[in-house]
Amino acid sequence: MEEFAFVDLVTVSPSLRITHIPVWLDRAAGDYGTIHGHISRQNPQSGTFDGKQIGVVVFHGPHGYISPTWYAKTGNVVPTWNFAVVHATGKLRPVEGKKELNDLLSKLIAKFESYEGTGYDFAKVDETYKYGLMGGIIGFEMEIELVEGKFKLGQDRSAADKQSLLKKLGEAKAPRALRDFTASFYDRRARPDRGRKRRSKT
């Protein structure tokens, strides 16, 4: 199974660096999957793709402000910010061969084009032009060695507070995705574990 996302790549090279990039995840490669992406060669982070340096890819989920008035119990409560985020850590390896980099870009582009339902075909781009541009970037792959998840979604609240929160999130200006994700999260935690291998902390 393959997925794609827009993420933050975090490295120390030698100072802390963060770059916002699209990536695709191959869940079948490695115990936790392998992340593929690319950045500009002028980016200082490109120097960390040696197979030894550690990188962290941050996947941001929905997030938003939570008003104290959204709970069933309104006494002695304060505002908060709910969110979902996952950190994937591993060693960054370069992907530099012409064919290998072309394959990486083709898969990444195809993922987003398929999602949008558009008809762009990367293979039809003039090779001289395409490979000229590719000379300015470096691809990478990162087999995930550690996955850490943080989900702050009011899961410690009472059943009445949770139901009230979901109702108010459905009416609020907060992103609808936060309400849908929270509802799904509550539902998953309410069901018994069916033996799936857990790869993140909650």
Side-chain angles (χ1 to χ4, degrees):
M1 180 179 181
E2 297 174 350
E3 298 179 8
F4 59 94
F6 187 71
V7 301
D8 298 333
L9 171 65
V10 184
T11 62
V12 177
S13 57
S15 59
L16 182 68
R17 297 279 180 174
I18 301 173
T19 301
H20 314 291
I21 56 172
V23 298
W24 63 272
L25 167 66
D26 183 352
R27 288 181 175 272
D31 290 341
Y32 302 107
T34 297
I35 295 170
H36 304 262
H38 69 90
I39 63 173
S40 167
R41 287 187 177 276
Q42 295 181 353
N43 188 319
Q45 283 183 306
S46 64
T48 65
F49 300 163
D50 59 4
K52 300 176 182 179
Q53 297 296 319
I54 296 293
V56 178
V57 174
V58 181
F59 294 85
H60 295 277
H63 57 92
Y65 176 79
I66 304 299
S67 169
T69 66
W70 294 352
Y71 298 120
K73 179 182 178 181
T74 57
N76 290 327
V77 289
V78 295
T80 191
W81 194 275
N82 282 1
F83 62 89
V85 67
V86 172
H87 296 175
T89 302
K91 296 182 179 66
L92 297 161
R93 297 190 296 269
V95 176
E96 298 184 280
K98 182 182 289 188
K99 180 183 183 304
E100 290 78 9
L101 184 55
N102 182 74
D103 290 348
L104 186 157
L105 294 173
S106 295
K107 282 191 174 183
L108 181 63
I109 293 169
K111 282 290 181 181
F112 283 98
E113 288 293 325
S114 175
Y115 178 77
E116 293 294 342
T118 47
Y120 177 80
D121 188 351
F122 185 58
K124 294 182 178 180
V125 177
D126 178 78
E127 289 194 356
T128 300
Y129 176 76
K130 177 168 62 176
Y131 289 125
L133 291 176
M134 284 169 52
I137 65 174
I138 180 171
F140 73 88
E141 61 181 23
M142 187 188 85
E143 182 176 340
I144 302 171
E145 299 173 2
L146 174 66
V147 179
E148 299 172 290
K150 175 65 176 179
F151 305 95
K152 182 183 175 298
L153 298 165
Q155 59 265 42
D156 58 328
R157 308 297 303 190
S158 68
D161 278 349
K162 290 178 182 178
Q163 289 304 311
S164 180
L165 178 59
L166 289 176
K167 179 178 183 296
K168 294 297 185 181
L169 279 172
E171 302 168 352
K173 294 180 180 179
R176 180 76 184 191
L178 178 59
R179 190 271 178 201
D180 292 345
F181 188 92
T182 302
S184 176
F185 183 80
Y186 289 169
D187 182 59
R188 288 197 305 271
R189 288 177 66 90
R191 293 182 307 206
D193 188 356
R194 297 181 180 176
R196 287 188 64 187
K197 184 178 179 181
R198 294 189 179 277
R199 297 180 173 179
S200 62
K201 301 174 183 177
T202 58

